Amino acid sequence: DVYSLDFPDDSFDVVYGHQLLQHLGRPVAALEEARRVLKPGGIVAVRDADYGTMVHDPHDPMIDRWLELYHELARHNGAEPDAGRRLGRWVAEAGFEDITTTTSTWTYTSSAAVEGWRALWSNRVLQARMGRSLTEEGFASKVEVAELAAAFDRWAAAPHPFFAFLHGEVLARKPREVASG
């Protein structure tokens, strides 16, 4: 349980979370728990995607629709798909200092990367929980879900497909001294 880690206070030099906070309803509470288990001066390192920065070519309106539905479903579930841009603020709210925020990109252009991205999202919308949730929660019909998967297949089959997006990254420290209140 990320909100109640089974470790004593001041246990670790580093706490790392990759693609985690975007899925949580209370990311600041999770970061506060990370701060609790960090030793004074310890480092928190977090990295999350920012779905709002996703771009693709060739353009397909159904991939735009997939992104819109992903945002709607994630927020319906209490998550934040654009977490990457919020990490610095969340880390500050959790009581960390010496905050450094950077970004990096994931870019899918090689044959293997394109096929991996296509398969990931085609499968997620057709066979995994995401597709079931879209229909069960009334966000999309089964026909539309199938069209979303087909859009990723079309994108991957196009000459020179491109897909990219930012990740927010934050390094910060747990304060060495706790201010007396």
Side-chain angles (χ1 to χ4, degrees), residues 6-87:
D6 192 22
F7 300 101
D9 294 358
D10 305 330
S11 294
F12 299 100
D13 294 316
V14 176
V15 172
Y16 175 67
H18 178 72
Q19 307 300 348
L20 169 68
L21 298 175
Q22 65 182 298
H23 299 291
L24 302 179
R26 297 182 297 128
V28 174
L31 288 163
E32 288 169 342
E33 183 64 0
R35 191 188 74 230
R36 182 189 67 77
V37 300
L38 274 171
K39 295 176 184 175
I43 295 172
V44 67
V46 290
R47 183 172 198 250
D48 270 281
D50 191 316
Y51 280 68
T53 67
M54 290 186 169
V55 294
H56 65 279
D57 187 71
H59 182 258
D60 189 312
M62 287 309 294
I63 292 179
D64 294 340
R65 178 68 176 142
W66 159 80
L67 191 55
E68 176 185 322
L69 288 168
Y70 186 90
H71 275 87
E72 289 177 18
L73 183 61
R75 291 190 174 128
H76 172 77
N77 290 334
E80 179 47 69
D82 298 336
R85 68 185 74 179
R86 293 171 171 81
L87 294 178

Side-chain angles (χ1 to χ4, degrees), residues 18-179:
H18 178 72
Q19 307 300 348
L20 169 68
L21 298 175
Q22 65 182 298
H23 299 291
L24 302 179
R26 297 182 297 128
V28 174
L31 288 163
E32 288 169 342
E33 183 64 0
R35 191 188 74 230
R36 182 189 67 77
V37 300
L38 274 171
K39 295 176 184 175
I43 295 172
V44 67
V46 290
R47 183 172 198 250
D48 270 281
D50 191 316
Y51 280 68
T53 67
M54 290 186 169
V55 294
H56 65 279
D57 187 71
H59 182 258
D60 189 312
M62 287 309 294
I63 292 179
D64 294 340
R65 178 68 176 142
W66 159 80
L67 191 55
E68 176 185 322
L69 288 168
Y70 186 90
H71 275 87
E72 289 177 18
L73 183 61
R75 291 190 174 128
H76 172 77
N77 290 334
E80 179 47 69
D82 298 336
R85 68 185 74 179
R86 293 171 171 81
L87 294 178
R89 177 170 45 91
W90 290 345
V91 167
E93 289 174 10
F96 288 92
E97 61 185 19
D98 299 331
I99 299 168
T100 301
T101 303
T102 59
T103 61
S104 63
T105 60
W106 280 1
T107 304
Y108 299 89
T109 57
S110 72
S111 296
V114 165
E115 174 52 25
W117 192 245
R118 181 213 63 80
L120 173 77
W121 285 107
S122 183
N123 290 337
R124 280 187 180 174
V125 297
L126 282 179
Q127 301 168 7
R129 182 175 170 211
M130 181 184 177
R132 288 190 306 276
S133 294
L134 285 170
T135 57
E136 289 170 3
E137 298 293 334
F139 290 106
S141 68
K142 288 183 179 181
V143 169
E144 187 174 26
V145 167
E147 290 172 2
L148 299 173
F152 278 96
D153 295 339
R154 284 191 302 274
W155 165 78
H160 310 289
F162 174 91
F163 204 108
F165 56 100
L166 288 176
H167 284 80
E169 305 158 336
V170 172
L171 293 173
R173 289 196 179 275
K174 177 179 179 174
R176 292 186 190 277
E177 300 285 330
V178 177

